[in-house]
C-alpha cells in the first residue's frame, strides 16, 4: 500500500461524491433544444466519445490490487465520471441527429498501451489522454457556436481539470520509490508519448479545430506547454497545487 505522509484518499472520495450529488441536483442539459453542428465537429466529437466510453474494468482491478481501499473507491468514482462524459457526448450527438461510433483506432491503441503492464503504466497513458482532453474540451467550450455543445464541453472540462491532479498524486506516490534518475526518465518518456499523441490528435481533428478557431499547430503547442508542470508534479520536483483544481475540502468546524 502506497502512502505519503499519512495521507489517504478520503478527500478525493468526498470530492467525487460531492460532484456526483451536484450533478444529480443540476440535472442534464436541455437536450430538447437540439444541437447544430458542422460535419467536422460531429466526426471529432464521435471520436472523443469513443475514448470516454468503457467500463474501466482494467483500471478498477489494478487499483483494487494496489492494496489501498480508499484509492480503489476513488478510482471507481472517477470511472463513473468518465462514463458520464461518454453519456453526455452521446446525448449531444443524438441532439445533433448523429450517432456514436463502435470504435476508433486511436482509442484501441491507447487501451492496448494501458493494459501492457501495471497500474503505473495504466495511469501514465491515461494521463496522456487527460492532458490532450483538457485542451480539446476547452477549444470546444470556447469555440463552438452551438450553446448546447458549449455547455456539455464546459461540464466535461471542469471534471477533467479535477482528474489531472488526482492521477498526478497517485503517480507521484508510485514514482517516489524509484531513484531520481529513473523518475526523470519515466516522466521524460511520458512527455515523448504525449507529444506523439498530441501530434496525432492535431492532425486527426484538424478540420474540427479550425472550425473552433484553433490552428492545429496552436493546439499542439498548448498541449506541450502544459506538460512540464505535470511532469514535475509526477516526479516530485514540482507542486501538485500548480495543476489547478483539486479535491474540495470542507472547512474545519470551529
Amino acid at each position: 500500500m502506497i502512502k505519503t505522509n499519512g495521507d489517504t484518499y478520503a478527500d478525493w472520495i468526498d470530492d467525487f461524491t460531492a460532484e456526483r450529488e451536484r450533478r444529480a441536483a443540476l440535472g442534464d442539459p436541455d437536450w430538447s433544444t437540439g444541437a447544430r453542428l458542422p460535419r467536422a465537429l460531429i466526426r471529432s466529437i464521435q471520436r472523443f466519445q469513443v475514448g470516454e466510453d468503457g467500463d474501466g474494468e482494467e483500471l478498477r482491478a489494478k487499483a483494487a490490487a494496489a492494496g489501498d481501499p480508499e484509492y480503489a473507491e476513488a478510482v471507481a468514482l472517477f470511472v463513473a465520471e468518465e462514463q458520464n462524459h461518454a453519456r453526455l457526448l452521446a446525448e449531444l450527438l443524438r441532439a445533433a441527429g448523429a450517432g456514436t461510433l463502435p470504435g476508433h483506432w486511436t482509442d484501441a491503441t491507447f487501451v492496448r498501451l494501458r493494459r501492457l503492464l501495471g497500474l503505473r503504466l495504466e495511469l501514465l497513458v491515461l494521463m496522456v489522454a487527460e492532458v490532450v482532453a483538457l485542451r480539446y474540451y476547452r477549444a470546444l467550450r470556447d469555440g463552438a457556436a452551438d450553446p448546447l455543445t458549449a455547455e456539455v464541453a464546459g461540464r466535461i472540462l471542469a471534471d477533467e481539470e479535477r482528474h489531472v491532479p488526482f492521477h498526478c498524486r497517485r503517480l507521484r506516490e508510485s514514482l517516489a520509490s524509484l531513484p531520481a534518475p529513473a523518475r526523470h526518465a519515466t516522466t521524460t518518456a511520458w512527455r515523448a508519448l504525449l507529444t506523439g499523441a498530441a501530434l496525432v490528435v492535431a492532425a486527426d481533428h484538424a478540420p474540427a479545430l479550425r472550425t473552433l478557431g484553433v490552428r492545429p499547430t496552436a493546439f499542439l503547442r498548448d498541449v506541450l506547454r502544459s506538460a512540464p508542470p505535470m511532469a514535475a508534479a509526477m516526479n516530485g520536483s514540482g507542486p501538485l497545487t500548480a495543476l489547478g483544481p483539486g479535491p474540495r475540502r470542507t472547512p474545519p468546524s470551529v
Side-chain angles (χ1 to χ4, degrees), residues 32 34 36 45 64 69 79 135 159 198 226-227 231 245 250:
S32 67
R36 297 175 61 86
I45 293 170
V79 169
R135 185 62 186 95
D159 286 344
S226 69
T250 304

Side-chain angles (χ1 to χ4, degrees), residues 6 15 69 100 145 155 167 186 215:
D15 172 72
T100 58
R155 291 189 184 203
H167 297 312
T186 299
R215 296 190 310 277

Side-chain angles (χ1 to χ4, degrees), residues 134-144 157 209 212 214 219:
L134 284 177
R135 185 62 186 95
Y136 177 80
Y137 288 119
R138 179 156 60 90
L140 193 60
R141 180 198 64 185
D142 297 344
L157 177 63
L209 292 172
L212 297 171
V214 178
F219 175 88

Side-chain angles (χ1 to χ4, degrees), residues 113-192:
L113 280 174
R114 285 167 53 182
R115 292 180 177 177
L116 282 175
L117 294 173
L119 179 61
R120 182 186 296 163
L121 180 60
E122 177 100 7
L123 293 180
L124 285 167
V125 177
L126 181 58
M127 270 291 293
V128 168
E130 296 279 68
V131 173
V132 171
L134 284 177
R135 185 62 186 95
Y136 177 80
Y137 288 119
R138 179 156 60 90
L140 193 60
R141 180 198 64 185
D142 297 344
D146 177 69
L148 184 60
T149 302
E151 180 181 354
V152 169
R155 291 189 184 203
I156 295 176
L157 177 63
D159 286 344
E160 300 290 8
E161 288 175 338
R162 292 169 33 253
H163 293 172
V164 165
F166 173 60
H167 297 312
C168 271
R169 172 179 167 178
R170 183 64 184 194
L171 283 165
R172 186 188 189 109
E173 295 170 353
S174 176
L175 293 173
S177 62
L178 300 177
R183 293 198 302 271
H184 178 72
T186 299
T187 52
T188 298
W190 175 79
R191 291 178 65 174

